[in-house]
Amino acid sequence: MFNKILIANRGEIAVRIIRSCEEIGIQTVAIYSEADRLASHVLKATEAYCVGPAPSSESYLNTEKILSIIKEKEVDAVHPGYGFLSENCDFSQAVKDAGATWIGPSTETITTMGDKMAARELAKSVGAPIIPGTTEPIQNFDDALKQAKEIGFPVLVKAAGGGGGKGMRIVHIESEFADAIDRAKSEAGKAFSDDRVYIEKYLEEPHHIEIQVFADNHGNVVSLGERECSIQRRYQKIIEETPSPFIDKKLRNSLSETAIKITEGCDYSGAGTVEFLVDKHKNFYFLEMNTRLQVEHPITEAVTGIDLVREQILVAAGNKLSFSQNDIQPSGHAIECRIYAEDGFNNFSPSTGKISDMIIPQGLGVRFDDGIRVHQEVTPYYDPLLGKLITWGPTRAIAIQRMIRSLKEFQISGIETSIPFCLMMIKHDTFNNGSYSTHTLNEISDELLNELKIHRSYCILTAGVAAALHSNNSKNKSNSKSKMATSTTWKQRGNEENLR
Amino acid sequence: MIFEAIIDEKSINISIKGTAPNFEITCDNKSIDLDCQPLSSHSYSLILNGKSHFLSIHDHPQGYEVTIDQHNNIVTIKDEQQLLLEKFGFSSSENTQTGKVYAQIPGLISQFFVNVGDLVKEGDKLLILEAMKMENEIVSPLSGVVKNINVESGIAVEKGTLIMEIKE
């Protein structure tokens, strides 16, 4: 087993990894930027070394510095967490060259699955469905129309050069096709100086569903079930749950089988996630594979009882998986809300400042994976994820009730967070019924905004009265102080007069 | 005391009478039943018309940030003195950047707390200006040295009189 693991990350995930290391009895090495000297992961680790100034490019991505710490401090394994260097094949190779173990799949696997086209080809080769579409940009209209008919309407016309919805058109019927291509080309040309467009099958009410897989170096591959991640803003997940209220046993098994085939196909090792899009007719398509631990892994832990980080470490150390496919009998339901430092009702704009106060929810079935503490400065340099709130219940209804209760209990002062937004979303009918897709949040955002305003107006009077009383109290305090000061002056004056 | 609380551009007039914890409070002339107990220097338990609230309060550039039911409310509080100053057409924050201390209301200078050459810190009491039977403490807008005092104690000043200058 390893003696010392370096965690090449910060925030809640670094803290999460340190916790599992501590439980196994492994020493931990934290790295930190100058802005993070007092961050939670530094306070919790056995050793901590500064790797550079605040910007990530000069610190958490400073591979040269990190590698020198690995060598100098006799680190024998590196856990990359998610983000930063976690899917950087050059760094994973350099870690191995430095004589340490990379807690994750091989450099070759990271390289293959990190290349969208190569990953698509690999998925195809093991029989995984991929979203039908053209692989080359459209050259002429007649060919394009022929291909669109083959794919079947509705189709999506998509810019080769970019994203964010620019140069994108949904075409429902053949007669709209020519016009849509013209407009998409013109838009893409203006936005990305590249007017090449592709056609792809348009998925109706798509769900983002992913399968957690685990593989060891002895040929064992296991699926730990799915996570439903369709509540997204700006293509980023904010609320996840397992099991998905949308899929049935048959689809679940098909997704798991496909994910296992892909995992075997790329000679995987450790924890990985295979992402799929599932349309309203329950057709599913391979999207990509994340060759690392996923942000939302705790909901899988909640229903399987398996510590995924511990298992990653054991597998990297050469152990066989501690469970087989038959051992995976998920129990109950788990939901995660991501607590971001951002104003959910002001276009999710990031919020920075000092956390002046914090009350973390507790109680049965509640877990908070935190990377923050009271008085910590939330800086603009890094991802705004402050922590993740996870609730478990024997049924979906109870997990939801616990999440609502926990979000209500949660208070963070000093910065704006996604807590009020998550509360409104969890309470919304679409979530309650489990009838949401990746489009839902956009469709209901105005409605949520209004509900929040109403909700907020309830506490205006209380807030006003409290502030007035507090102001009154502070005034009385300072008055009593100044009275004391005056009397002291009087005394002094008196003493001086006596001396004359 | 009379306060005006401003939240989200909404204004509430609050009157507080009595002493803690049994205040008599009216909001916009409606009486409310309130029990307020401090839990720490910045948190309170408030039972307002029978409803229990836990809240925390912190200083904010615009006044206070009151966290209640997951919402962070920014509340600006104007007290009696500030409301009075505004009535006379002055903003109490007007002199904050320059070191010039003006009489914001016509009144009588009853007491000076400083002399020329004294070191003062921002917020230190400089003098008392009596007006409308109220003693208004005038505090230093910045930290520095008292450069000059242009008026004497005991005299009446007109609105806008330059009383003293503080040099950084």
Side-chain angles (χ1 to χ4, degrees):
Chain A
M1 186 44 61
F2 308 118
N3 284 318
K4 204 191 266 187
I5 291 179
L6 179 141
I7 296 119
N9 218 303
R10 66 179 299 282
E12 67 86 20
I13 194 61
V15 172
R16 162 74 190 89
I17 296 162
I18 290 170
R19 285 181 171 143
S20 285
C21 290
E22 282 286 333
E23 287 173 13
I24 308 172
I26 299 170
Q27 293 188 2
T28 52
V29 178
I31 58 167
Y32 63 93
S33 73
E34 285 163 13
D36 272 347
R37 170 62 186 84
L38 295 175
S40 290
H41 73 288
V42 178
L43 306 185
K44 286 194 167 66
T46 326
E47 295 172 38
Y49 303 102
C50 184
V51 288
S56 308
S57 58
E58 296 170 47
S59 50
Y60 295 104
L61 298 174
N62 182 350
T63 52
E64 208 177 307
K65 180 79 187 169
I66 299 168
L67 287 165
S68 76
I69 292 168
I70 292 168
K71 284 178 211 156
E72 275 169 36
K73 308 298 172 189
E74 296 177 339
V75 167
D76 42 14
V78 173
H79 197 307
Y82 54 72
F84 290 130
L85 298 164
S86 62
E87 287 169 293
N88 184 319
C89 45
D90 294 336
F91 181 65
S92 79
Q93 189 55 49
V95 165
K96 285 175 226 168
D97 293 344
T101 302
W102 174 260
I103 301 176
S106 70
T107 307
E108 293 73 29
T109 305
I110 299 174
T111 311
T112 308
M113 300 320 270
D115 174 349
K116 282 214 164 161
M117 286 315 287
R120 215 175 129 108
E121 286 310 309
L122 189 136
K124 241 180 169 175
S125 73
V126 299
I130 52 171
I131 299 172
T134 55
T135 46
E136 297 291 324
I138 294 170
Q139 299 294 343
N140 68 69
F141 178 75
D142 290 339
D143 279 358
L145 183 62
K146 203 180 136 203
Q147 276 171 316
K149 278 182 182 166
E150 271 173 31
I151 293 165
F153 288 97
V155 297
L156 194 66
V157 182
K158 227 175 158 182
K166 288 201 182 75
M168 210 184 252
R169 282 283 179 284
I170 302 163
V171 191
H172 292 277
I173 47 170
E174 196 183 320
S175 61
E176 292 171 351
F177 190 62
D179 197 32
I181 287 192
D182 286 346
R183 278 182 292 147
K185 268 179 168 300
S186 140
E187 225 173 79
K190 276 178 208 149
F192 318 113
S193 316
D194 177 357
D195 72 350
R196 292 177 304 155
V197 292
Y198 290 85
I199 331 173
E200 198 176 271
K201 172 87 184 154
Y202 174 71
L203 303 186
E204 293 167 273
E205 296 170 27
H207 285 248
H208 181 121
I209 291 174
E210 58 188 30
I211 301 287
Q212 175 72 54
V213 290
F214 229 113
D216 62 17
N217 302 326
H218 306 273
N220 301 304
V221 179
V222 171
S223 160
L224 281 78
E226 86 280 8
R227 290 185 290 256
E228 166 71 73
C229 310
S230 299
I231 304 288
Q232 303 182 354
R233 89 282 183 249
R234 285 192 262 111
Y235 301 101
Q236 275 186 303
K237 301 161 189 168
I238 187 158
I239 298 174
E240 301 96 345
E241 63 176 319
T242 186
S244 165
F246 173 68
I247 71 174
D248 50 33
K249 201 177 172 190
K250 190 173 153 236
L251 179 57
R252 179 170 296 124
N253 288 341
S254 307
L255 288 169
S256 274
E257 280 165 23
T258 309
I260 287 173
K261 274 187 212 155
I262 292 169
T263 310
E264 286 168 342
C266 66
D267 205 12
Y268 203 82
S269 169
T273 297
V274 184
E275 297 191 333
F276 296 96
L277 282 178
V278 184
D279 72 9
K280 72 170 182 185
H281 309 292
K282 295 199 162 66
N283 299 308
F284 69 90
Y285 307 96
F286 168 75
L287 200 59
E288 61 175 339
M289 181 170 191
N290 294 318
T291 55
R292 52 167 169 82
L293 190 67
Q294 203 86 330
V295 177
E296 57 275 20
H297 74 275
I299 56 173
T300 299
E301 295 183 323
V303 296
T304 61
I306 294 165
D307 177 342
L308 294 186
V309 174
R310 171 190 280 261
E311 203 66 26
Q312 279 188 301
I313 296 168
L314 297 181
V315 163
N319 289 22
K320 280 187 179 172
L321 279 181
S322 69
F323 48 82
S324 68
Q325 191 63 64
N326 282 337
D327 296 329
I328 307 299
Q329 302 294 338
S331 147
H333 198 98
I335 305 171
E336 171 182 280
C337 283
R338 299 191 185 189
I339 311 302
Y340 285 109
E342 62 179 25
D343 192 347
F345 293 91
N346 188 10
N347 211 13
F348 300 104
S349 57
S351 172
T352 57
K354 194 179 199 172
I355 297 172
S356 46
D357 229 329
M358 181 160 67
I359 294 169
I360 295 173
Q362 296 183 42
L364 182 62
V366 179
R367 164 177 174 183
F368 182 56
D369 269 25
D370 61 312
I372 47 164
R373 55 177 181 81
V374 176
H375 300 320
Q376 184 173 323
E377 200 71 50
V378 177
T379 64
Y381 299 108
Y382 315 108
D383 188 277
L385 186 65
L386 299 172
K388 303 170 317 203
L389 180 63
I390 301 108
T391 60
W392 178 90
T395 63
R396 185 171 187 265
I398 293 173
I400 290 176
Q401 287 165 356
R402 270 189 190 145
M403 182 55 84
I404 293 171
R405 186 270 290 173
S406 304
L407 287 166
K408 281 181 170 174
E409 217 172 291
F410 216 148
Q411 282 196 3
I412 297 181
S413 310
I415 51 170
E416 290 303 320
T417 71
S418 53
I419 295 169
F421 169 81
C422 286
L423 184 57
M424 293 297 139
M425 184 65 230
I426 294 276
K427 285 165 90 173
H428 196 268
D429 282 349
T430 52
F431 193 88
N432 220 6
N433 307 334
S435 60
Y436 60 87
S437 74
T438 52
H439 295 165
T440 304
L441 183 48
N442 262 346
E443 290 161 8
I444 64 169
S445 63
D446 286 346
E447 196 184 324
L448 292 180
L449 203 80
N450 276 335
E451 276 172 42
L452 178 95
K453 274 185 192 149
I454 295 165
H455 199 253
R456 200 180 182 126
S457 69
Y458 293 149
C459 58
I460 279 184
L461 176 74
T462 318
V465 170
L469 278 168
H470 185 70
S471 167
N472 195 35
N473 277 357
S474 321
K475 204 154 280 158
N476 288 342
K477 257 179 224 159
S478 66
N479 276 353
S480 60
K481 260 184 215 158
S482 66
K483 263 176 210 156
M484 268 171 62
T486 320
S487 73
T488 321
T489 322
W490 273 111
K491 270 184 199 161
Q492 270 178 1
R493 184 70 62 85
N495 289 342
E496 276 165 18
E497 273 173 5
N498 287 342
L499 286 173
R500 274 181 197 161
Chain B
M1 282 291 270
I2 292 167
F3 296 90
E4 184 188 0
I6 301 154
I7 314 161
D8 288 351
E9 293 169 0
K10 282 191 189 85
S11 165
I12 309 166
N13 291 307
I14 300 163
S15 145
I16 302 176
K17 283 178 195 161
T19 49
N22 300 307
F23 296 103
E24 272 175 55
I25 297 191
T26 57
C27 287
D28 294 334
N29 298 322
K30 260 183 255 165
S31 167
I32 57 168
D33 182 15
L34 180 94
D35 179 353
C36 174
Q37 301 279 353
L39 294 160
S40 71
S41 59
H42 58 263
S43 60
Y44 295 89
S45 161
L46 221 74
I47 302 177
L48 196 152
N49 289 335
K51 278 199 170 173
S52 173
H53 302 276
F54 167 80
L55 50 92
S56 67
I57 301 188
H58 293 273
D59 289 341
H60 184 275
Q62 287 163 328
Y64 300 100
E65 183 197 61
V66 183
T67 308
I68 172 168
D69 296 350
Q70 320 88 49
H71 300 293
N72 296 335
N73 303 278
I74 308 303
V75 188
T76 304
I77 291 287
K78 291 178 184 165
D79 61 15
E80 232 160 287
Q81 191 181 335
Q82 284 163 309
L83 292 171
L84 187 72
L85 292 179
E86 278 184 10
K87 213 168 126 188
F88 281 93
F90 278 95
S91 159
S92 55
S93 58
E94 221 165 38
N95 294 328
T96 49
Q97 287 318 310
T98 75
K100 290 179 176 163
V101 181
Y102 293 96
Q104 295 171 326
I105 42 175
L108 180 81
I109 294 175
S110 59
Q111 195 183 354
F112 277 110
F113 298 107
V114 292
N115 293 310
V116 173
D118 280 3
L119 280 170
V120 291
K121 283 201 199 92
E122 183 186 332
D124 279 0
K125 285 192 286 183
L126 297 175
L127 61 125
I128 287 180
L129 183 64
E130 274 186 36
M132 312 281 288
K133 292 181 188 168
M134 274 178 61
E135 291 196 354
N136 298 293
E137 278 176 16
I138 309 295
V139 299
S140 182
L142 43 81
S143 300
V145 181
V146 179
K147 198 177 147 198
N148 56 51
I149 296 178
N150 301 326
V151 290
E152 282 173 25
S153 172
I155 69 152
V157 290
E158 286 302 307
K159 177 170 128 179
T161 307
L162 178 65
I163 303 172
M164 61 166 75
E165 277 185 85
I166 315 287
K167 207 181 156 198
E168 263 182 295

